[in-house]
Every structure is written in structure tokens, then in C-alpha cells.
Amino acid sequence: MTKIFIASLLAFTAAPALAEPPAPATAKVQLADLDLSTASGQRALDRRLSVAARQVCGTASPADLSGQNEARRCFNDTLASIASERDQRIAAASLQPIEVAAR
């Protein structure tokens, strides 16, 4: 009887380890109402991206230092991962010429 109970307990505790990890959280940031060729439109975009990054990364209790560090890391990594797309969207909206100089 004890052997069956232990085998059942091991099977039960091993099941979560075999489960697939949860899909990462996502958020969509709307751009249609922004004029990205202006500084105010770019600031609005940056605010929206920050809000979206906070939503997908979550927050931690003030008592959970490790959780706060993880949320901060996630926030910074998330913004870094979309920086190129942000810059491309702004560049596409701008009609200003690009100045090229030799270095």
C-alpha cells in the first residue's frame, strides 16, 4: 500500500514539470492616432510602450525584492527588444532628410 502511495505522489508531483510553460503575455499599442513625425507624438508613443511593457511584465509586492528586480529586468528587456521597431516607425513617419557625415 505504501509503495502505491509513493508512486502516485511522484507521478502527481512530476506532472507540472512536464507541462508546457505559459505563453508570454502580450499587449498591442495603437499608433493610428499618433503623429510620429512630432516630438509630442513620439513622447505619447513612448508612454504607451512603457504602459504596455508594465502590463506584460507585471509588478511585484514592495516586500518582494527579487520579484521587483525581475519585473524591472523584464520591463527594461521588453523596451530594449522593441526599440528598433519603435525607431523604424518614427523614421517612416518623418519626412525630414537624413544627414550623413563621415566619421
Side-chain angles (χ1 to χ4, degrees):
M1 182 88 162
T2 304
K3 290 181 184 178
I4 294 172
F5 175 75
I6 292 173
S8 297
L9 181 61
L10 289 175
F12 179 74
T13 57
L18 300 176
E20 291 184 31
T26 61
K28 290 191 180 194
V29 175
Q30 298 299 323
L31 307 176
D33 62 326
L34 298 178
D35 181 358
L36 297 180
S37 67
T38 66
S40 63
Q42 294 169 18
R43 284 191 303 272
L45 173 61
D46 289 341
R47 282 191 300 274
R48 290 180 187 184
L49 292 174
S50 290
V51 167
R54 292 243 184 264
Q55 286 175 342
V56 299
C57 291
T59 58
S61 164
D64 182 6
L65 185 59
S66 176
Q68 287 181 343
N69 288 335
E70 179 64 22
R72 187 177 304 110
R73 183 200 57 76
C74 175
F75 175 80
N76 291 333
D77 290 351
T78 300
L79 288 182
S81 73
I82 58 174
S84 177
E85 183 173 355
R86 173 206 173 270
D87 294 345
Q88 289 173 4
R89 298 293 179 105
I90 290 172
S94 175
L95 301 176
Q96 298 297 317
I98 298 173
E99 184 174 327
V100 178
R103 297 247 171 196

